[in-house]
Amino acid sequence: MAQVLLVEDDAAIRAALTRSLRDLGHVVSAVGSGLPALTAAVEQRPDVVLLDLGLPDIDGADVLSMLRAVSDVPVIVATARDDEASMVRLLDLGADDYVIKPFTAAQLTARIRAVLRRSGKTDEDPVIAVGGLRIDTRSYEVSVDGRPIELARKEFELLLALARRAGEVVTKRDLLGEVWQQAWGGSDRTVDVHLSWLRRKLGETAAQPRYLHSVRGVGVKLAAPSEA
């Protein structure tokens, strides 16, 4: 999916993220400090850099500034700093996006897709089709069997997150992280309510599903009616 340069000083976190991202199809190279990160970004020309701020040799914000002087590679900052002033500063320094620790691999992958779309480096088909369901990621238009469906923003993002993993059971924790950025501390009820609204607009119910299938104790799967 993407060539990712992971910059993370904690060896255990670095190994876990590398493994999770590779399991999701990414090609990952990982370094543990700022100077090797700058060298790798120039030599390897990754699609995206995931940059931790707490590095042992150079502050991550300084790495970001130096990286921006030599490359326009998309950068996602991983930080525990969730105050607005810190986020604005990082974006002004050249970050394309950020994730607040802790986060899931699914949430991070959604962020990677987003920055690659904005940078024009993704080859994703702009229209995702699952059976008679069509989702246009450029125009934010959705239709079922040719009938247009009006969705609120979060309903669209929820449907899109499931459609991109059609046929897979996606946990509510992953959905909270990817759609609401609340993998920890969020309520499954948030997902349940939006699924209820989404089902109604798609012309189905939890008792009689067509596309959205709940797997008790696991999560939700989107599948074409003939594949359910």
Side-chain angles (χ1 to χ4, degrees):
M1 294 180 65
Q3 182 176 340
V4 180
L5 172 60
L6 171 62
V7 188
E8 167 61 60
D9 71 313
D10 187 295
I13 295 175
R14 188 167 65 245
L17 270 178
T18 297
R19 182 172 58 252
S20 296
L21 288 171
R22 285 175 176 168
D23 287 345
L24 290 170
H26 300 292
V27 177
V28 183
S29 59
V31 296
S33 54
L35 288 177
L38 292 168
T39 300
V42 172
E43 294 181 351
Q44 298 176 15
R45 301 178 64 84
D47 295 320
V48 62
V49 175
L50 175 64
L51 175 63
D52 180 55
L53 294 183
L55 301 176
D57 54 348
I58 309 174
D59 184 81
D62 293 331
V63 173
L64 175 60
S65 296
M66 288 186 279
L67 182 58
R68 273 292 161 260
V70 296
S71 174
D72 63 353
V73 61
V75 178
I76 302 173
V77 171
T79 176
R81 310 169 192 173
D82 59 356
D83 60 286
E84 183 178 2
S86 295
M87 297 302 100
V88 170
R89 176 172 175 265
L90 291 168
L91 294 171
D92 285 343
L93 285 173
D96 294 88
D97 203 350
Y98 60 87
V99 287
I100 305 297
K101 294 182 176 181
F103 51 82
T104 66
Q107 179 185 354
L108 180 56
T109 292
R111 298 287 189 167
I112 291 172
R113 285 196 299 262
V115 298
L116 293 181
R117 285 197 301 272
R118 292 197 296 267
S119 66
K121 294 184 178 181
T122 180
D123 57 1
E124 178 184 79
D125 191 329
V127 177
I128 299 175
V130 181
L133 174 65
R134 291 176 61 84
I135 305 168
D136 192 319
T137 61
R138 293 173 303 185
S139 64
Y140 291 86
E141 294 176 343
V142 177
S143 64
V144 176
D145 300 329
R147 175 174 58 91
I149 304 294
E150 293 290 335
L151 298 180
R153 177 183 171 184
K154 287 301 181 185
E155 293 167 353
F156 179 88
E157 292 176 358
L158 175 58
L159 183 64
L160 182 59
L162 291 167
R164 284 191 169 123
R165 297 166 69 177
E168 300 179 27
V169 179
V170 185
T171 69
K172 292 178 182 179
R173 291 288 96 183
D174 281 349
L175 291 171
L176 279 167
E178 185 167 340
V179 179
W180 286 273
Q181 288 77 59
Q182 295 180 0
W184 282 265
S187 169
D188 289 1
R189 181 63 178 162
T190 299
V191 179
D192 292 336
V193 169
H194 282 77
L195 280 172
S196 177
W197 294 340
L198 194 52
R199 283 191 174 103
R200 184 166 64 247
K201 292 183 178 181
L202 294 176
E204 61 182 70
T205 66
Q208 294 183 309
R210 292 188 67 217
Y211 288 94
L212 299 173
H213 301 266
S214 294
V215 180
R216 186 177 296 277
V218 183
V220 185
K221 177 177 71 173
L222 187 147
S226 61
E227 300 170 357

